[in-house]
Amino acid sequence: MAMTMTQKILANHAGLDSVTAGQLVLVNLDRVLGNDITSPVAICEFEKMGVSNVFDKDKVTMVMDHFAPNKDIKAAEQCKMCRDFCTEKNVTHFYDVGQMGIEHALLPEKGLVCAGDVVIGADSHTCTYGALGAFSTGVGSTDMACGMATGKAWFKVPSAIKFILKGKLGKYVSGKDVILHIIGKIGVDGALYKSMEFTGEGLSSLSIYDRLTMSNMAIEAGAKNGIFEVDEQTLKYLDEHCSRKPVVYKADPDADYDESYEIDLSEIKSTVAFPHLPENTREIDKVGDIKIDQVVIGSCTNGFYKDIEEAAQILKGHKVAKYVRTIIIPATPAIYTKALENGLIRIFMDAGCVVSTPTCGPCLGGHMGILAKGERAVSTTNRNFVGRMGDVTSEVYLASPAVAAASAITGKITDPAEVMGK
Amino acid sequence: MKYTGNVIKYGDNVDTDVIIPARYLNTIDKKELASHCMEDIDKTFTSRVKAGDIIVAGNNFGCGSSREHAPIAIKESGISVVIAKSFARIFYRNSINIGLAIVECPEAAEEISESDEVEIDLDNGIISDKTTGKTYNTEPFPPFIQKIIENGGLVDSVKAGIIK
């Protein structure tokens, strides 16, 4: 029976020769992830199960990234609950302030995800690791608890949509624009319950970081996972970061896909998602005059070094517009350090930005950049739902780091090419 | 299992950020979560919801974040069942795992109106709108999922040795 990439990984982890879409399978997990918001609920459920220990202390991972550094007393209690649990269970990969980064940037960097893995995380953006050829998906806290106890999770085997990429991205266009373009095309439930599988000769022009951004937002199209075919770049990245041997699954040539889209990367323009859904996309030349109050550059979607560097290249030698609070959040300590060593932090400070410690903070309206009534932000994050970054009347416009940086300079949503004078 | 209640109706893409805004995720107290349920799209929800009431909504209900706090807040508010045209997949699993009854039925979700009295027979997959007299048939859950529900959710299924 012909299978997709996702189906092959699930079959392997279920101990089956083959699986078909719709089949329910119980699979073995290579990693179980949680953060400071979702883990406390999982820990309560775990305690109810009457299990004394986690299934594998090296395969459970907790990252204190959402409301950390602790935004208030309640958040401090939640982090403490996670810290106490991980200490008691001797969990190897517990990341607290100082070591922690935004979870989906941190795990690939630390080599905790490899091609061919099955990963569940109590965070919807766990789908990020599809960029590395893993099956990874977001679940809730009870699934996390069950995963921590048993090392297993149940799944309905998904059908898939294939995206065949060709061509090369233009200047100032990145993975963010590609995924926003795709979500604009198929809608926020366009891939509901399904896999998004990315393949084609265009892959070679997409860096691992462009791919991480794209897989990260598969959930914004409703998808179960978003996975890239493993190529030389993936293997090189894994070789540099992960000590385990990648297991590469390619889709069968006759695998069944519900739909197939051909995307010419060279035709994609900088794209912005208007409030209040990621599917409300417009190309940069059709955004009109949108004045902004805040810019956020960071998050699990676009807080990688490449993103921070792209923003710095645009902000270099400029000042951000008066009254535009520009918040830069390198996603991990390693990214922060590299940005410091390469002079990027100086560029941001000179431009009038602030540079924050890693945190999910503003993306979900937690802390570190909340919007007042009627305010507008351009953000490189992943969601622009009602009230996502603050007051219910505030607005979030999703964009690439290049567009966000250009917009910070002019104070309105701006094409980076315009600021760079070409 | 049968549920009867009055309908509170919403549209498409009701996301987990409006079901329970992230600013309240610094607690896992169920009552406190319920006290903020839906407040960013419906400030009247918490004051008008009665035990047993039923939410009826459009496509992609529960999209966005994986926060289990969302179905927990809905369940703790007293909502007995959510009927929708479709559910976002993480919300769907979370509801099953915590024992919030959910039913996918596009026709019922389209036709049932705000305040209608509705009865849901989960075992047989039948929705009856008592106000209009119309009934709707839905797909029952697959046996594996029925087993999880029969065991009272995922935690009890692990304890019962269904998942080991």
Side-chain angles (χ1 to χ4, degrees):
Chain A
M1 186 72 199
M3 291 187 281
T4 65
M5 283 184 264
T6 300
Q7 290 166 356
K8 282 188 176 179
I9 298 175
L10 289 176
N12 171 277
H13 282 68
L16 301 168
D17 291 333
S18 73
V19 295
T20 52
Q23 188 178 343
L24 283 154
V25 290
L26 194 60
V27 304
N28 292 312
L29 303 170
D30 296 299
R31 189 153 303 282
V32 179
L33 168 70
N35 57 50
D36 52 309
I37 299 300
T38 57
S39 301
V41 179
I43 290 167
C44 289
E45 295 305 308
F46 182 91
E47 305 290 353
K48 287 184 201 160
M49 282 181 212
V51 192
S52 60
N53 224 328
V54 296
F55 84 107
D56 186 330
K57 69 180 180 60
D58 296 326
K59 292 183 178 174
V60 171
T61 305
M62 283 191 203
V63 185
M64 306 296 97
D65 58 358
H66 275 58
F67 290 168
N70 306 329
K71 80 174 181 109
D72 53 27
I73 294 168
K74 285 178 173 176
E77 292 295 340
Q78 295 204 139
C79 287
K80 184 172 187 300
M81 190 174 169
C82 299
R83 192 178 303 119
D84 290 348
F85 179 87
C86 288
T87 305
E88 189 195 312
K89 309 293 182 203
N90 203 18
V91 167
T92 316
H93 299 290
F94 172 70
Y95 295 97
D96 209 338
V97 172
Q99 289 79 44
M100 73 85 170
I102 296 175
E103 54 198 305
H104 308 307
L106 189 71
L107 266 63
E109 183 187 288
K110 294 279 180 194
L112 299 181
V113 182
C114 199
D117 279 359
V118 171
V119 180
I120 62 165
D123 186 281
S124 60
H125 293 107
T126 303
C127 50
T128 309
Y129 320 125
L132 304 177
F135 171 82
S136 64
T137 192
V139 294
S141 297
T142 299
D143 275 314
M144 179 192 171
C146 180
M148 289 199 297
T150 65
K152 289 186 166 66
W154 65 270
F155 291 110
K156 192 158 105 177
V157 175
S159 63
I161 303 176
K162 179 150 83 172
F163 296 87
I164 305 158
L165 309 177
K166 62 172 192 175
K168 273 189 182 167
L169 292 177
K171 202 165 186 185
Y172 309 120
V173 179
S174 64
K176 183 62 162 286
D177 302 298
V178 182
I179 193 65
L180 287 176
H181 169 84
I182 289 172
I183 296 165
K185 199 176 176 114
I186 69 172
V188 289
D189 58 355
L192 194 59
Y193 306 125
K194 299 178 183 184
S195 302
M196 294 167 81
E197 298 206 347
F198 299 97
T199 180
E201 45 96 4
L203 280 192
S204 60
S205 75
L206 289 176
S207 73
I208 288 297
Y209 302 102
D210 287 310
R211 300 179 201 185
L212 287 162
T213 302
M214 288 173 64
S215 288
N216 174 274
M217 287 191 72
I219 178 70
E220 286 3 296
K224 185 169 214 150
N225 67 318
I227 187 167
F228 279 76
E229 195 171 288
V230 171
D231 66 0
E232 287 307 312
Q233 279 198 75
T234 329
L235 295 174
K236 183 170 177 283
Y237 179 90
L238 289 170
D239 186 48
E240 286 164 2
H241 293 85
C242 182
S243 60
R244 288 180 294 135
K245 195 176 175 314
V247 183
V248 179
Y249 294 93
K250 278 199 184 335
D252 289 316
D254 55 343
D256 193 29
Y257 287 90
D258 291 347
E259 287 169 273
S260 185
Y261 293 93
E262 204 172 270
I263 310 263
D264 186 347
L265 299 174
S266 66
E267 286 178 4
I268 291 181
K269 294 181 183 168
S270 293
T271 301
V272 178
F274 276 49
H276 289 286
L277 283 174
E279 70 183 18
N280 294 337
T281 55
R282 291 190 206 174
E283 289 178 341
I284 193 73
D285 47 2
K286 299 190 184 73
V287 298
D289 198 21
I290 310 280
K291 202 178 159 295
I292 56 167
D293 305 283
Q294 178 166 297
V295 167
V296 175
I297 299 173
S299 82
C300 60
T301 312
N302 277 128
F304 300 104
Y305 183 80
K306 170 185 176 284
D307 301 314
I308 303 300
E309 190 180 36
E310 277 170 11
Q313 280 164 357
I314 288 167
L315 284 160
K316 190 175 184 177
H318 290 277
K319 290 273 181 210
V320 302
K322 205 175 177 186
Y323 305 125
V324 175
R325 293 106 53 187
T326 305
I327 302 164
I328 315 280
I329 311 179
T332 69
I335 296 168
Y336 199 117
T337 305
K338 192 172 171 186
L340 185 67
E341 285 171 357
N342 291 345
L344 308 189
I345 306 285
R346 183 67 203 237
I347 292 172
F348 294 131
M349 301 306 282
D350 287 347
C353 311
V354 291
V355 185
S356 160
T357 177
T359 181
C360 305
C363 170
L364 74 164
H367 62 151
M368 293 296 289
I370 306 300
L371 299 173
K373 280 191 181 67
E375 286 192 328
R376 293 187 181 132
V378 172
S379 179
T380 68
T381 54
N382 41 56
R383 292 195 175 123
N384 54 355
F385 299 150
V386 169
R388 174 77 178 177
M389 199 176 271
D391 188 86
V392 293
T393 62
S394 64
E395 295 182 343
V396 176
Y397 294 76
L398 304 175
S400 69
V403 169
S407 305
I409 296 166
T410 61
K412 57 180 190 171
I413 301 179
T414 299
D415 185 345
E418 214 174 284
V419 171
M420 300 302 277
K422 50 195 130 161
Chain B
M1 194 78 184
K2 278 188 183 176
Y3 302 92
T4 308
N6 292 96
V7 167
I8 298 177
K9 196 160 183 183
Y10 296 108
D12 290 339
N13 301 314
V14 173
D15 62 75
T16 53
D17 275 281
V18 294
I19 295 172
I20 181 71
R23 59 185 178 274
Y24 302 121
L25 297 184
N26 55 4
T27 181
I28 56 174
D29 182 84
K30 293 178 180 178
K31 291 216 162 7
E32 199 178 334
L33 292 170
S35 74
H36 298 293
C37 191
M38 296 291 179
E39 75 175 31
D40 280 2
I41 50 161
D42 178 4
K43 291 219 182 310
T44 67
F45 176 81
T46 51
S47 55
R48 69 191 168 114
V49 65
K50 297 183 303 296
D53 277 357
I54 292 162
I55 288 179
V56 175
N59 285 310
N60 206 24
F61 187 86
C63 62
S65 153
S66 69
R67 64 190 71 154
E68 208 159 283
H69 313 66
I72 289 171
I74 289 174
K75 192 180 175 193
E76 195 63 24
S77 298
I79 292 292
S80 59
V81 185
V82 182
I83 301 170
K85 288 182 186 171
S86 66
F87 290 91
R89 60 159 287 274
I90 306 178
F91 184 90
Y92 185 93
R93 314 181 54 100
N94 286 348
S95 299
I96 291 166
N97 288 345
I98 69 151
L100 169 67
I102 53 169
V103 183
E104 201 167 80
C105 184
E107 201 190 349
E110 176 69 34
E111 294 179 2
I112 293 173
S113 304
E114 173 82 27
S115 306
D116 282 5
E117 189 189 353
V118 169
E119 184 189 87
I120 293 141
D121 175 348
L122 260 201
D123 299 336
N124 298 302
I126 299 165
I127 302 170
S128 315
D129 187 332
K130 302 276 190 195
T131 309
T132 63
K134 241 189 134 171
T135 61
Y136 307 87
N137 291 303
T138 67
E139 280 278 313
F141 284 116
F144 177 80
I145 293 181
Q146 272 180 23
K147 226 168 163 181
I148 294 177
I149 296 169
E150 279 165 21
N151 275 277
L154 196 64
V155 168
D156 289 323
S157 300
V158 171
K159 277 164 97 174
I162 291 164
I163 296 167
K164 55 189 168 191

